[in-house]
Amino acid sequence: MKKLRAIIAIALAAIMALCMAGCGSTPAQTTAAPETTLAPETTAAPETEAAETEAETEEETEAEVSGEYDYPARYLWYNADGTINRTQRGEESRGFDMKKYIDSPLGEFDIEHYYLMSLGSRNTMDTGIVNHWAALGMEKVIYHGDEEFNEQSTCPDYAVYCPTNIAAGTKMPVLFVNHGGGQKIFNIESFGYIEEAAKRGWLVVAPHWGIGDETQVFDTLAQQAGCTRESYVFRATWEEVKQNYDVDESRVYVAGYSGGGNAAGYMAQENADIIAAASPATGAAIQGSGVAGGDLGADPMALIAANRLGMMMVYGMCDTEMRWPISEELHEMGKGVSKTVEERLAEVNGWITSCGATTTTTMDEVNAYFSELNNDDTQPASVKFGLNFDNEYSKTVEGGLTYQFGEDYDKDGKVIVRFMAVPQTGHWVTYMWAEEVCEFFSHFSRNPETHELIIEE
């Protein structure tokens, strides 16, 4: 059992290495996981954790053997030598405390969902995972798997999770969920979106937007179409999904994690006449990054500005990417992409106003907010993000965690942009992330004929 735990921990470390390598603002290329050797079983754990680790090793419970997670054991958090795993995931200067995180609802959510990732491989149809989703009322299907891919392919491989507990012929809202940069489709099974979609009767689509041999093929197809690869992947996948499922074309949403959050932004920029709401979240950078001169003309935000868009940003305030708040010190948009703080502010303001909000922020206000920033979780969203909001509020959840929210209104006084700051969280998905985003999405629809955005309060 001890060796199994070590192997799982190493697999998770490799997954996180891919994640951190691919979370920049430009589409990530395939990144090889670092070589890792299994620590000898005789390696002693540090004195402060040795007793606990030894006790956990001896607890070979029936639940663990059957694949269920025994949370008190917490074994996925530890390396083979007993040291805490993945400490790089949180920014200590922002107040990240790994041990505190492990024992919080945030850590419990993380570990329960990471377990699914540890079972899988690319496009896995592992019986245990398929049965897991079936028990929650979602049928998992893979389209265009590895064995079907070739250089003549015009549609990427993707996974669909279809509700099984709805009446035949029911038109289902569609939620596209993007994997992290440099990661694989099954990565999205750890986000919480599939569970939330099951409750709502939504269809989940997980496209393979940027990894492996397909990347070059779809880069070429995207160039020919005059759009980004992410946008091409969305369009090709969406056309097939419409043919194979009863979908509600007025309720199409897109979300993603890290580099997949960036991908959600690109998809929304170039398909705002289809997508009703987007969440370029969890370490993503919202910026003007469409293909100028292609479908969007000279302005990558033109289609969003013409059609409006619901937009929700979610950010862990201990994220090592540190893209928020906007500040003179923290204006990097990702690996190899450096912009002045004025340029970044202009793009963020551009996103917010293109979506349909009326509130913007000046550089003087950015600097004033940054001067107030500390690691106090009760500071409002305006300070945490460095932005003005029309409305701010907080929400205290299980374990005493306080989330901070900032909202912007459209000209009719309806919420069209929402930011959510999550305390004690690094560069990863978080407790209540999917629930909050789906609740926000549920207020938006788009007339498929006129493309008019409809907001239901």
Side-chain angles (χ1 to χ4, degrees):
M1 190 64 186
K2 183 176 181 180
K3 186 173 182 179
L4 172 62
R5 293 173 180 173
I7 292 172
I8 293 175
I10 288 170
L12 294 179
I15 292 170
M16 276 313 304
L18 284 173
C19 168
M20 297 306 293
C23 62
S25 61
T26 55
Q29 302 298 316
T30 305
T31 306
E35 295 185 5
T36 311
T37 55
L38 186 64
E41 294 194 18
T42 56
T43 303
E47 183 176 349
T48 56
E49 298 171 355
E52 180 182 7
T53 304
E54 182 178 352
E56 291 169 7
T57 302
E58 294 173 355
E59 293 178 0
E60 297 190 20
T61 64
E62 181 178 340
E64 290 175 325
V65 172
S66 67
E68 298 175 10
Y69 182 68
D70 177 19
Y71 185 69
R74 303 181 302 172
Y75 63 83
L76 295 184
W77 294 109
Y78 294 96
N79 295 315
D81 62 358
T83 56
I84 293 177
N85 187 25
R86 297 181 290 131
T87 55
Q88 77 280 10
R89 285 214 0 262
E91 177 61 41
E92 293 183 2
S93 68
R94 290 285 182 91
F96 185 74
D97 183 329
M98 186 67 170
K99 290 186 177 180
K100 182 178 179 181
Y101 179 87
I102 288 173
D103 289 319
S104 73
L106 300 170
E108 185 168 0
F109 174 93
D110 196 343
I111 202 66
E112 288 175 351
H113 288 74
Y114 234 103
Y115 182 69
L116 291 172
M117 288 181 65
S118 73
L119 292 178
S121 60
R122 183 163 181 254
N123 290 349
T124 178
M125 291 298 286
D126 176 90
T127 301
I129 292 178
V130 172
N131 290 342
H132 170 83
W133 296 122
L136 293 176
M138 297 294 268
E139 179 187 24
K140 179 180 178 180
V141 182
I142 297 292
Y143 293 87
H144 306 292
D146 279 346
E147 68 281 358
E148 301 175 40
F149 177 78
N150 58 64
E151 292 187 358
Q152 282 70 51
S153 295
T154 58
C155 186
D157 53 318
Y158 59 96
V160 170
Y161 304 81
C162 182
T164 58
N165 55 358
I166 59 175
T170 299
K171 298 292 186 182
M172 298 173 288
V174 181
L175 174 61
F176 281 76
V177 183
N178 295 321
H179 59 80
Q183 297 184 337
K184 306 176 189 299
I185 287 177
F186 77 92
N187 168 251
I188 75 105
E189 297 189 350
S190 64
F191 292 178
Y193 276 115
I194 304 173
E195 295 92 330
E196 190 62 27
K199 298 174 187 176
R200 297 174 177 272
W202 292 6
L203 186 81
V204 175
V205 180
H208 192 188
W209 62 266
I211 187 174
D213 295 336
E214 294 93 322
T215 300
Q216 184 173 355
V217 171
F218 292 110
D219 273 342
T220 300
L221 290 170
Q223 290 171 5
Q224 294 170 354
C227 63
T228 60
R229 179 193 344 123
E230 294 82 354
S231 177
Y232 178 88
V233 165
F234 169 80
R235 294 173 187 177
T237 306
W238 172 231
E239 289 303 316
E240 285 202 357
V241 168
K242 286 192 296 181
Q243 294 174 17
N244 294 328
Y245 295 91
D246 290 319
V247 298
D248 182 351
E249 294 186 40
S250 71
R251 295 184 178 273
V252 181
Y253 312 116
V254 59
Y257 154 67
S258 189
N262 295 342
Y266 304 143
M267 292 175 180
Q269 282 177 319
E270 302 185 43
N271 300 278
D273 53 341
I274 299 172
I275 297 168
S279 182
T282 317
I286 54 175
Q287 55 188 313
S289 302
V291 178
D295 288 356
L296 304 178
D299 181 3
M301 298 304 299
L303 197 59
I304 290 181
N307 294 282
R308 305 197 306 153
L309 179 80
M311 192 273 285
M312 183 168 179
M313 168 61 70
V314 182
Y315 189 67
M317 297 316 298
C318 296
D319 194 322
T320 52
E321 295 288 315
M322 294 199 296
R323 290 192 176 129
W324 302 98
I326 297 178
S327 68
E328 292 284 1
E329 289 83 354
L330 308 175
H331 60 264
E332 292 293 331
M333 300 299 285
K335 295 177 177 61
V337 183
S338 180
K339 299 186 179 183
T340 67
V341 66
E342 290 83 5
E343 288 173 329
R344 184 179 178 200
L345 177 61
E347 292 190 337
V348 172
N349 278 332
W351 254 93
I352 291 172
T353 56
S354 293
C355 284
T358 59
T359 299
T360 58
T361 306
T362 68
M363 272 303 308
D364 287 343
E365 290 166 329
V366 163
N367 293 331
Y369 285 133
F370 190 70
S371 69
E372 300 177 26
L373 182 69
N374 58 42
N375 293 332
D376 183 353
D377 293 342
T378 65
Q379 286 191 305
S382 54
V383 175
K384 295 301 187 185
F385 288 102
L387 296 172
N388 290 329
F389 293 108
D390 291 325
N391 179 50
E392 297 184 83
Y393 63 96
S394 62
K395 182 182 294 187
T396 301
V397 300
E398 181 183 355
L401 299 167
T402 302
Y403 290 22
Q404 301 295 337
F405 294 83
E407 297 177 332
D408 289 324
Y409 303 145
D410 67 3
K411 60 182 179 59
D412 297 319
K414 296 180 179 180
V415 176
I416 197 164
V417 170
R418 179 176 293 164
F419 280 61
M420 174 173 131
V422 184
Q424 303 169 29
T425 297
H427 193 79
W428 186 235
V429 299
T430 186
Y431 175 65
M432 290 184 63
W433 170 35
E435 179 181 340
E436 290 289 339
V437 171
C438 288
E439 190 282 328
F440 176 78
F441 283 175
S442 69
H443 295 276
F444 296 88
S445 61
R446 188 177 298 284
N447 186 311
E449 301 298 328
T450 66
H451 310 306
E452 176 190 3
L453 184 70
I454 301 166
I455 306 175
E456 302 170 359
E457 294 185 291

